[in-house]
Amino acid sequence: MNSNQTKTLNEGTREQWGSRIAFILAAAGSAVGLGNIWRFPYVVGTNGGAAFVIVYLVIIFLIGYPMMITEMSLGQKTHKNAIGAFRSLAPNSPWWITGALGVLAGFVILSFYSVVAGWAMSYFFKTISGALGAGTDYVGTFVGHITNPVATVLWHAVFMVITLAVIAAGVVKGIERTVKILMPALFVLLLALVFRSMTLPGAGAGIAFYLTPDFSELSGQSILGAVGQAFFTLSLGMGCMITYGSYLSDKEEIADNAAWVVGLDTAIALMAGFAIFPAVFALGFDPASGAGLAFMTLPGVFAAMPGGTIFGAAFFLLLTVAALTSAISLLEVVVAWVVDEKGWDRKKASLIIGGLIFAVGIPATISMNEVDFQMFGMPFFDVLDIFQESILLPLGGLLTAVFAGHVYTAKKLKEDANKNRGKIFIGGWFDVLIKYLVPIGIAVVMVVGWYDVFFK
Ligand code: PHE
C-alpha cells in the first residue's frame, strides 16, 4: 500500500491496486467475460444481427460510459463496498437498498455464471480428448452434458473453488495477479480465432449478417435486451465497479480509465462476433441457435476446419479464462460487503459465500435435466438470467443514476471524478446524460420491454 498520500476516512486500511494498469486490467477483466464471448454473439444472432449491434453500441456510449464513470467514482470517493458506498453518502436513508440489490445480483448472476463456466471447462477437455470430432452429434452431446447432473455439478464446483481461492487471496495477491496473466492471454487467443474464422472460405456471408442492418427485426424486447446486455457486459448496475473503484487510490483519474474499460470490453465483444459469425456461416450453421451457439454450433465449426482441435481448445480455454476474471469480481461484490460491514475475515467470507452461491447454482444446473427444476414454467436457469437481465441490472442502473445525478448530485460527482484530470474532461454532457437521458431511457426501455416479455 502507498503510505505517503492524503488519506480519506477509509483509504488507510484498505487494500489498493498496485498500479493504474492493474486497475484497468481488473475492471476490464470483470467486464470481459461470458457476456462478451458466449452471450453477445448469441443475443446478436437471435435479434437479427447488425441492427441490434448498432443499438447496442449507441447504448454503450450513451448509457454505459457515463454509468462506468459514476460507479468508479462513487467507489473511489467512499472506498466502500456496494452497500457501504450508498450508506456513507446518504446516511439514514433507504438508498443503501440500491447497493443491496447489487449484492443480490452478484449472488444470482454468479450462481448460474459458474454453471456456464463449468460447461466451458468441460468442453475444453472434451475438445482436446477428441470427443467432439467431425461427425459427432453436437446437439446431442450438449444436451447430454447439461442434463448430466453429476458432471455439471462437479464442473460448477471446480469453477467455484478456483474463484473463491482467488478472492480469498485478496485484491492484490489474488485478483490483480490473476488478471495480469490472464487478460493478455485472452487477447492473443481471441486474435488468433478471429484470424482463423475470417480467412475461412465463405466467411463473407457471416460478415454481412454481422454488418448489414435490418431494423425491422428490432422489438421492444430486443431493445431491453440490448440495455440488459450492455449492463451485463460492462458489469454495471450492481455495484461491481463501485467495489473495484473502492480499491483505487485517491490519486487516480476516472474518465480515461472508464473509457479504457468500456473500449476494451466493446472491442472484445465485437471481436468475438468476428470470431464466430464468419465461421458459423462458412460452415452452414444457424446463427440464431441461442444459448447453445457456442456449445452446439462451434464444436461443429471447429471439427470442420483445419487445425480445429487446437482452435477449438483455444476457444473454450478463452471462455473459461474470461469467465474466471469476471466471476471473481462477482464474488468480490458480496465478499467486500461482509468484510467491510460485518467484519468477517476475508478467507472465511470467500469460503462461506462461495459455498452458498455454489448451492444456489445447483438447481440451475439440474433445471435442465430429468429433475427439471422449474419456476414460472421455465427452467430455473432461465429464470435467473431473465431476472438479472430484465430487472436486477436495469433497475440497479436506474437507481444508481438517479442517486448520482439528483441525490448526491451530478455536480459533486463531476468534481470528484475530475479531481485528477486525465485526457477526457467530464463536462456538461455528463449532467445531461446521468440526470435525464440514462434514467429516463432505462425506465422507458424497461416498461416497453417488460410489456413485450410478460404480456405478449
Ligand atoms: N461482465 C461480465 C461478463 O460480461 C459479467 C458480470 C456482470 C460480471 C456483472 C460482474 C458483474 O461476462
Side-chain angles (χ1 to χ4, degrees), residues 192-214:
L193 282 167
V194 170
F195 182 76
R196 172 66 276 194
S197 178
M198 306 251 304
T199 51
L200 287 171
I207 300 177
F209 171 78
Y210 195 35
L211 299 182
T212 321
D214 171 6

Side-chain angles (χ1 to χ4, degrees), residues 54-67:
I54 293 173
V55 172
Y56 167 82
L57 289 176
V58 171
I59 291 170
I60 292 284
F61 198 71
L62 293 181
I63 297 183
Y65 181 56
M67 285 299 299

Side-chain angles (χ1 to χ4, degrees), residues 30-36 109 113 232-235 238 240 326 329-330:
S30 164
V32 175
L34 295 174
N36 305 57
I109 296 176
Y113 202 83
F232 185 78
T233 190
L234 292 172
S235 309
M238 54 152 298
C240 186
S326 301
S329 72
L330 285 160

Side-chain angles (χ1 to χ4, degrees), residues 277-308:
F277 293 118
V280 166
F281 277 81
L283 299 156
F285 290 89
D286 177 14
S289 59
L293 183 66
F295 295 95
M296 295 188 287
T297 311
L298 291 182
V301 170
F302 295 128
M305 67 167 58

Side-chain angles (χ1 to χ4, degrees), residues 193-252:
L193 282 167
V194 170
F195 182 76
R196 172 66 276 194
S197 178
M198 306 251 304
T199 51
L200 287 171
I207 300 177
F209 171 78
Y210 195 35
L211 299 182
T212 321
D214 171 6
F215 286 95
S216 66
E217 297 269 351
L218 289 178
S219 63
Q221 183 173 358
S222 52
I223 296 177
L224 177 60
V227 170
Q229 173 63 22
F231 276 101
F232 185 78
T233 190
L234 292 172
S235 309
L236 291 173
M238 54 152 298
C240 186
M241 292 300 169
I242 296 181
T243 307
Y244 270 22
S246 77
Y247 303 116
L248 195 57
S249 126
D250 287 340
K251 291 195 173 146
E252 279 294 338

